[in-house]
């Protein structure tokens, strides 16, 4: 794998030298017309089978089936350090339009947590496609049936125990925001994985938790848990009766950005090419099917708009986390 | 009986020439991955999962089940032959299997391991069929307080690893805990990471285990000068060198019978199941053994077979929460869950109702994976066991390369290779000063789990320890823990009394056993 990327860099370097030797302007134009003409190195910053991996593989499948990318695409899982390894690799390929990667929540939170050597600002944003919102649930045997019930319960208890995945993570921020805006106190219990958290909820250790719709809907259908609130802007299609924070006049909740990025200093024509191409990808049935199956809320923003969105979310995340002393 | 017809339908449903081929390919590729030090079942599944994306769900699940068992057995092979366990649950296998291999009993150790896996897999498949719904209700009563107590039970079993030398044992445990504190703690702040991104997820168990056991062992052997000794000449084709002898059968058989139900029971508990079950089986075998001094020394077949059976039954047990509750019970089942999503199946309590042919197909193929594994291994074990005939000066450099390769492959991290080499020296000095590398590794795995669950429990209870006595399952676990602590004190006098009474009979027994054994040269 390394060999390929090295050769890709060398080729690009030679091309850059060749073009600059012949004078600027027109040559770059030619370059832009030729793009893409090489194998693409598609980095997944997490392991196989996870949310990020599934999205990447769906995109690659569409690009291949629709013959949108003329050359080979090599998908490589470069996991480790909560995404820092994979996106660190993308960072090291600065200027190379043949390296690409997908983002998720850790893209914003990992740099807050550790010295990754990169932040979201370093990369060239192609676009945002969807956001991962969460479902707030309580155990069915608690008798809490609506968000109003929950608020009443929280009021009686004084402090409620809620769970989510991780501390420097979107889940914690959502729980903190909900509590703040609705005016109740929480003890937040962070978990490493969904399984442990679900058993904690079912065993009665937690009063409520937030979870990805995809991993909790099975429990909702089996009536093991009751969904009270969906943190997206629009109600979830599968559960239209579950309210969203806007119905309670809460502000917009944090969410996980599902987008696409190129390395720093990638030529503008490459970004343009990807924006045009991805506009076709998001129109396909296969993509819509992917969004439906994974309960993602479509939220399309291109180029600069995507970068602005990242900026806004990252600042909000950082502020909330600092307020609660997590970082 | 309805349930069994479901199981038979499951097996029949997946049985076809294609699936048999997939089973063979899966078992073999799983074994190849698992044999690399450090790559255990969950790594094997993660590496080979993308291969199944092009397959139909049922075919994919057949192949993954085969990979799962293949990789499981692969870790057994590397534990026995080169003392490099692929996951925490294989630590006992390395402790007992490697000494057996050193004295020329590699093939019997591998046969026992394969049979233990097979028998435990069969027992667990039957238990899964019969007891899944009941077991599921146990699973869903295990919150953080219960997990904490369960892990404490696991830690208590380390008393058995430590033996009489408790100061050194305690020191080894503390070292393990200390290494376990590295990384981002539960509240989000960093401990001993020095801002490094490589360390935010902590020091991983795998390079530590490979270094301490695999490479540490090589250094220790070189220091001892054992590489200059001739190895025991073993003819792997001879029947006596392949099949376990009578006393090995007897010890191993009992251990398997005890390990399988224990493992299944622990496996249904998400999070700690497999590791804790294997450790408990080990300490139980050592506890009831007539010759506990052989454990970890010359190699006790019971200490190998019991944990192997428990480990395997726990792997099947972990399917209970996955299938009945949609909750992954182990790292490997979490990877499988990712696969479910990929095949557009909705994990959750209704999975078995909505996709019965899939769920039973999964159980059926896990069973078939076991069968194919046993068949493949009858042919492969002599080949693997031949490794012990290679002289150490030839083998040692190869093991070093394999260890470095394995440490690198898991996360593609060169830092982890560095950790592995560092731990090799740590392992060497631990052996030199009589510390216990096995205890360190177990403390490293269980310590952070215990800490996280204790803190989760206390956050939930506002800092009150009352949470551990106000929940029924917790109280049961506390009683078990108390019994474990008190039992050895009570057991010793009882054992002595019983021992006196049966002294004559036992003498006869061991006399018989000795005459049945083939003469062996001890090389340790």
């Amino acid at each position: 794998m390394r060999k390929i990327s090295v050769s890709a860099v060398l080729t690009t370097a030679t091309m850059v030298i060749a073009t600059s030797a012949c004078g600027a302007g027109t040559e770059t134009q030619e370059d832009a017309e030729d793009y893409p003409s090489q194998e693409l190195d598609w980095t997944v910053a997490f392991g196989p089978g996870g949310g990020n991996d599934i999205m990447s593989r769906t995109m690659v499948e569409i690009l291949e089936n629709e013959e949108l990318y003329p050359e080979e695409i090599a998908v490589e899982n470069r996991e480790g350090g909560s995404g820092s390894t994979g996106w660190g690799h993308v960072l090291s390929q600065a200027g190379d339009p043949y390296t690409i990667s997908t983002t998720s929540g850790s893209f914003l939170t990992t740099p807050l947590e550790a010295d990754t050597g990169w932040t979201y600002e370093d990369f060239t944003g192609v676009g945002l496609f969807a956001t991962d919102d969460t479902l707030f649930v309580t155990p069915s045997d608690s008798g809490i049936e609506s968000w109003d019930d929950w608020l009443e319960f929280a009021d009686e208890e004084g402090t409620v125990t809620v769970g989510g995945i991780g501390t420097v993570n979107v889940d914690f921020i959502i729980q903190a925001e909900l509590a703040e805006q609705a005016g109740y106190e929480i003890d937040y219990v962070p978990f490493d994985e969904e399984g442990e958290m679900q058993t904690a909820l079912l065993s009665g250790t937690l009063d409520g938790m937030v979870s990805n719709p995809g991993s909790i809907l099975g429990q909702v259908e089996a009536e093991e848990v009751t969904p009270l609130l969906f943190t997206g802007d629009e109600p979830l299609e599968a559960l239209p009766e579950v309210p969203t924070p806007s119905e309670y006049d809460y502000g917009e909740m944090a969410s996980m950005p599902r987008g696409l990025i190129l390395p720093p200093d990638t030529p503008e024509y490459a970004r343009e090419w990807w924006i045009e191409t991805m506009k076709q990808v998001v129109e396909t049935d296969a993509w819509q099917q992917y969004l439906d199956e994974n309960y993602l809320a479509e939220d399309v923003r291109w180029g600069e708009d995507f970068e602005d969105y990242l900026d806004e979310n990252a600042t909000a995340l950082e502020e909330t986390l600092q307020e609660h002393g997590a970082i | 009986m309805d349930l069994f017809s479901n199981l038979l339908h499951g097996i029949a449903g997946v049985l076809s020439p294609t699936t048999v081929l997939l089973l063979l390919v899966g078992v073999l590729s799983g074994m190849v991955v698992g044999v690399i030090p450090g790559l255990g079942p969950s790594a094997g599944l993660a590496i080979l999962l993308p291969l199944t994306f092009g397959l139909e769900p049922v075919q994919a699940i057949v192949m993954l089940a085969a990979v799962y068992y293949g990789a499981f057995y692969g870790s057994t092979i590397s534990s026995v032959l080169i003392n490099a366990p692929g996951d925490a649950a294989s630590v006992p296998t390395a402790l007992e299997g490697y000494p057996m291999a050193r004295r020329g009993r590699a093939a019997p150790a591998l046969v026992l391991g394969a049979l233990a896996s097979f028998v435990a897999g069969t027992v667990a498949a039957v238990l899964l069929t019969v007891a899944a719904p009941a077991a599921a209700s146990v699973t869903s009563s295990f919150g953080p307080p219960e997990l904490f107590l369960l892990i404490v039970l696991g830690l208590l079993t380390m008393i058995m690893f430590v033996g009489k030398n408790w100061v050194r044992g305690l020191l080894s445990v503390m070292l393990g805990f200390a290494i376990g504190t590295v990384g981002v703690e539960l509240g989000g702040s960093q401990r001993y990471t020095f801002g490094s991104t490589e360390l935010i997820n902590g020091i991983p168990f795998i390079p530590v285990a490979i270094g301490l056991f695999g490479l540490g062992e090589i250094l220790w052997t070189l220091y001892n000068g054992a590489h200059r000794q001739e190895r025991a000449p073993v003819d792997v084709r001879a029947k006596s060198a392949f099949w376990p002898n009578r006393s090995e059968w007897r010890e191993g058989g009992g251990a398997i019978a005890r390990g399988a139900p224990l493992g299944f029971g622990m496996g249904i508990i998400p999070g700690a199941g497999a590791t804790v079950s294997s450790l408990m089986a080990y300490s139980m075998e050592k506890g009831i053994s007539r010759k506990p001094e052989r454990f970890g020394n010359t190699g006790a077949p019971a200490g190998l077979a019991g944990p192997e059976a428990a480990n395997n039954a726990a792997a099947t047990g972990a399917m209970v929460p996955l299938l009945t509750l949609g909750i992954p019970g182990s790292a490997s089942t979490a990877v499988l869950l990712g696969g479910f999503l990929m095949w557009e199946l909705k994990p959750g309590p209704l999975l078995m109702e909505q996709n019965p042919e899939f769920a039973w197909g999964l159980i059926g193929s896990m069973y078939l994976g076991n069968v194919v594994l046993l068949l493949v291994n009858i042919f492969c074990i002599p080949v693997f066991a031949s490794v012990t005939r290679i002289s150490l000066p030839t083998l040692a450099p190869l093991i070093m390369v394999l260890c470095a390769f394995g440490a690198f492959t898991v996360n593609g991290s060169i830092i982890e290779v560095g950790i592995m080499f560092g731990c090799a020296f740590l392992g060497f000095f631990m052996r030199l000063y009589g510390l216990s590398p096995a205890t360190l590794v177990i403390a490293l795995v269980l310590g952070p789990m215990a800490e996280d669950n204790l803190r989760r429990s206390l956050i939930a209870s506002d800092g009150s320890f009352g949470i551990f006595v106000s929940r029924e399952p917790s109280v049961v676990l506390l009683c078990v823990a108390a019994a474990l602590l008190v039992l050895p004190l009570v057991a010793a006098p009882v054992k002595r009394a019983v021992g006196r009474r049966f002294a004559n009979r036992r003498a006869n027994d061991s006399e018989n056993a000795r005459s049945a054994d083939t003469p062996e040269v001890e090389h340790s």
Side-chain angles (χ1 to χ4, degrees):
Chain A
M1 213 54 245
R2 196 181 166 97
K3 223 175 189 172
I4 293 164
S5 52
V6 168
S7 67
V9 173
L10 284 180
T11 337
T12 338
T14 346
M15 277 163 57
V16 171
I17 293 166
T19 49
S20 54
C22 303
T26 51
E27 293 300 328
T28 332
Q29 209 63 41
E30 254 186 31
D31 230 356
E33 273 163 29
D34 288 345
Y35 185 85
S37 61
Q38 289 174 35
E39 187 182 276
L40 184 70
D41 171 1
W42 191 299
T43 295
V44 180
F46 297 88
N52 199 307
D53 185 63
I54 297 178
M55 178 169 84
S56 289
R57 286 177 198 274
T58 310
M59 283 181 172
V60 171
E61 207 179 295
I62 297 172
L63 287 169
E64 280 172 352
N65 288 348
E66 305 281 323
E67 295 175 3
L68 293 170
Y69 194 84
E71 302 292 321
E72 289 282 301
I73 302 175
V75 181
E76 186 81 1
N77 295 89
R78 295 186 172 91
E79 61 215 88
S82 304
S84 58
T85 308
W87 292 314
H89 168 79
V90 178
L91 181 85
S92 71
Q93 304 297 311
D96 175 19
Y98 293 101
T99 299
I100 204 160
S101 181
T102 40
T103 66
S104 54
S106 307
F107 186 61
L108 300 178
T109 52
T110 304
L112 297 176
E113 196 171 18
D115 183 13
T116 48
W118 53 262
T119 69
Y120 66 93
E121 287 171 315
D122 292 320
F123 298 92
T124 312
V126 173
L128 178 75
F129 310 107
T131 55
D132 251 22
D133 296 297
T134 60
L135 205 55
F136 185 100
V137 300
T138 49
S140 297
D141 55 21
S142 66
I144 297 169
E145 277 169 11
S146 67
W147 184 248
D148 291 314
D149 285 358
W150 168 254
L151 293 180
E152 204 174 298
F153 171 77
D155 206 41
E156 277 167 25
E157 290 285 308
T159 306
V160 284
T161 309
V162 293
I165 303 290
T167 300
V168 184
N169 199 8
V170 176
D171 285 7
F172 172 56
I173 294 156
I174 289 174
Q175 291 285 19
E177 279 176 349
L178 281 176
E180 197 176 299
Q181 306 212 24
Y184 58 86
E185 296 288 318
I186 55 165
D187 280 330
Y188 177 80
V189 187
F191 288 83
D192 295 328
E193 45 158 40
E194 185 73 26
E196 280 180 23
M197 179 163 71
Q198 285 186 14
T199 41
L201 183 83
L202 296 176
S203 78
T205 317
L206 296 177
D207 297 320
M209 68 176 198
V210 287
S211 209
N212 272 328
S215 42
I216 197 71
L217 266 183
Q219 308 287 353
V220 173
E221 272 172 33
E223 295 181 359
E224 290 287 338
V225 302
T226 315
L228 304 184
L229 194 75
F230 177 65
T231 64
D233 291 341
E234 299 287 323
L236 194 64
E237 226 166 274
L239 298 168
E241 73 284 1
V242 174
T244 60
S246 59
E247 287 170 46
Y248 289 87
D249 289 326
Y250 304 155
E252 205 173 296
M253 294 287 140
S255 58
M256 280 203 194
R258 300 268 176 212
L260 197 63
I261 51 155
L262 290 162
D265 311 318
T266 311
E268 188 57 29
Y269 63 76
R271 164 144 94 170
E272 287 304 320
W273 188 92
W274 276 105
I275 291 177
E276 289 314 311
T277 308
M278 293 314 290
K279 277 181 179 166
Q280 296 175 53
V281 169
V282 297
E283 290 301 315
T284 58
D285 289 342
W287 180 254
Q288 291 302 323
Q289 197 190 341
Y290 160 78
L291 291 179
D292 289 349
E293 270 159 15
N294 292 280
Y295 309 100
L296 297 173
E298 185 155 31
D299 187 348
V300 182
R301 305 173 198 224
W302 301 109
E304 311 267 303
D305 289 343
F306 173 40
E307 286 174 357
D308 289 345
Y309 165 90
L310 288 177
D311 221 27
E312 219 171 89
N313 265 271
T315 322
L317 288 179
E318 199 171 352
E319 275 169 12
T320 317
L321 288 173
Q322 265 162 0
E323 236 169 75
H324 293 272
I327 50 170
Chain B
M1 276 304 104
D2 207 28
L3 288 166
F4 285 103
S5 71
N6 272 335
L7 178 63
L8 289 178
H9 276 271
I11 294 175
V14 294
L15 214 52
S16 75
T18 327
T19 51
V20 171
L21 189 69
L22 286 172
L23 278 170
L24 280 173
V25 172
V27 162
L28 285 173
S29 50
M31 255 160 55
V32 169
V33 171
V35 132
I36 297 167
L39 298 188
S42 61
L45 279 180
I47 291 170
L48 297 169
L49 184 67
L51 283 186
T52 63
F53 290 164
L55 300 171
E56 294 289 308
V58 171
Q59 292 177 340
I61 209 72
V62 167
M63 174 136 177
L64 283 181
V67 167
Y68 189 45
Y69 279 105
F72 243 114
Y73 194 66
S75 319
T76 307
I77 296 171
S78 58
S79 301
V80 169
L81 294 182
I82 62 174
N83 201 21
D87 55 5
S90 316
V91 168
T93 313
L95 281 180
E96 302 309 321
Y98 185 68
M100 283 181 74
R102 295 275 318 257
R103 56 185 174 86
R105 306 297 291 163
L110 289 174
V111 170
L112 264 184
L115 274 171
S117 306
F118 173 73
V119 174
T122 309
V123 171
V126 172
L127 285 175
L128 178 64
T129 316
V130 183
S137 66
V138 174
T139 307
S140 58
S141 62
F142 266 72
E146 288 76 25
L147 278 179
F148 170 71
L149 291 173
L150 187 73
I151 295 159
V152 169
L153 284 186
L155 287 169
L156 282 178
T157 65
M158 285 202 296
I159 296 170
M160 283 296 175
F161 284 82
V162 171
K164 290 200 175 69
N165 208 332
W166 66 271
V167 176
R168 285 175 183 164
L170 199 64
L171 196 60
S172 313
V173 172
M174 290 303 157
L175 268 175
F177 283 161
I179 296 175
T181 57
V182 176
V184 174
E185 51 85 55
L186 201 65
S189 47
Q190 303 189 22
R191 288 192 298 215
Y192 312 114
T193 62
F194 309 104
S196 151
T197 55
E198 298 281 347
L199 291 177
I200 53 175
N201 289 337
I203 292 184
F205 148 80
I206 284 166
V208 174
I210 305 176
L212 284 180
F213 290 99
L215 206 52
E217 179 68 32
I218 300 272
L219 295 179
W220 181 239
T221 314
L222 292 178
Y223 175 77
N224 275 336
H227 58 292
R228 292 200 208 91
Q229 289 169 11
E230 277 297 305
R231 291 211 138 191
V234 185
D235 183 3
V236 286
R237 278 160 303 180
K239 255 191 175 163
S240 63
F242 180 74
W243 295 107
N245 58 40
R246 204 187 294 176
S247 73
E248 284 166 345
W249 273 132
R250 202 179 39 217
E251 283 182 46
I256 293 170
R258 288 181 290 272
L262 176 77
F264 182 81
M266 304 297 277
I268 61 176
I269 296 155
T275 312
V276 176
S277 76
S278 151
L279 299 179
M280 279 191 169
Y282 185 79
S283 61
M284 181 168 80
E285 292 309 324
K286 192 173 176 182
I288 63 175
S289 171
R290 290 168 185 169
K291 302 170 201 155
E293 67 281 356
R294 285 187 317 161
F295 279 68
N297 190 10
T298 58
L304 168 84
E308 276 289 309
N311 192 352
N312 230 276
T316 309
M319 290 291 150
V320 171
L322 183 68
L323 291 174
T324 55
L325 300 170
I327 292 171
S330 64
S332 313
T333 45
V335 179
L336 272 184
L337 190 75
F340 285 8
L341 295 171
M342 197 88 72
W343 303 312
E344 289 150 26
L345 290 163
K346 204 178 297 158
L350 300 180
L351 180 79
M352 268 182 129
E353 245 170 71
Q354 289 170 345
N355 303 289
E357 66 298 333
F358 177 82
W360 289 105
L362 173 64
I363 299 169
S365 47
M366 301 213 74
Y367 187 66
L368 285 176
N370 248 320
V371 175
V372 171
L373 183 74
L374 186 71
L375 294 178
V376 167
N377 275 300
I378 298 292
F379 296 102
C380 287
I381 284 173
V383 181
F384 287 127
S386 315
V387 170
T388 53
R389 295 166 75 196
I390 305 171
S391 71
L392 206 70
T394 316
L395 195 60
L398 276 174
I399 296 180
M400 286 187 190
V401 171
L402 266 180
C403 287
F405 179 66
F408 179 77
T409 319
V410 182
N411 289 319
S413 156
I414 199 75
I415 306 269
E416 288 181 18
V417 180
I419 293 175
M420 193 274 291
F421 278 110
C423 286
F425 287 101
L426 180 66
F428 171 76
F429 284 108
M430 288 183 79
R431 280 179 179 80
L432 194 63
Y433 295 113
L435 300 178
S436 156
T439 321
L440 184 155
V441 161
I442 292 156
L444 169 63
V445 174
L446 296 182
M449 280 161 75
E451 187 205 336
D452 285 355
N453 281 302
L454 175 63
R455 289 182 59 185
R456 281 179 195 134
S457 311
L458 292 181
I459 294 174
S461 71
D462 269 330
S464 152
F465 281 91
I467 194 167
F468 293 110
V469 289
S470 59
R471 295 159 61 98
E472 266 173 49
S474 288
V475 175
V476 173
L477 282 168
L478 274 177
C479 294
V480 175
L484 269 187
L485 277 177
V486 176
L487 216 58
L489 302 177
V490 186
V494 173
K495 218 170 163 182
R496 265 200 300 280
V498 175
R500 265 196 302 278
R501 186 175 292 177
F502 291 102
N504 291 331
R505 214 176 118 185
R506 193 186 297 175
N508 288 342
D509 265 0
S510 54
E511 205 54 54
N512 289 341
R514 211 167 291 143
S515 57
D517 282 2
T518 41
E520 287 162 12
V521 196
E522 296 275 334
H523 271 274
S524 47

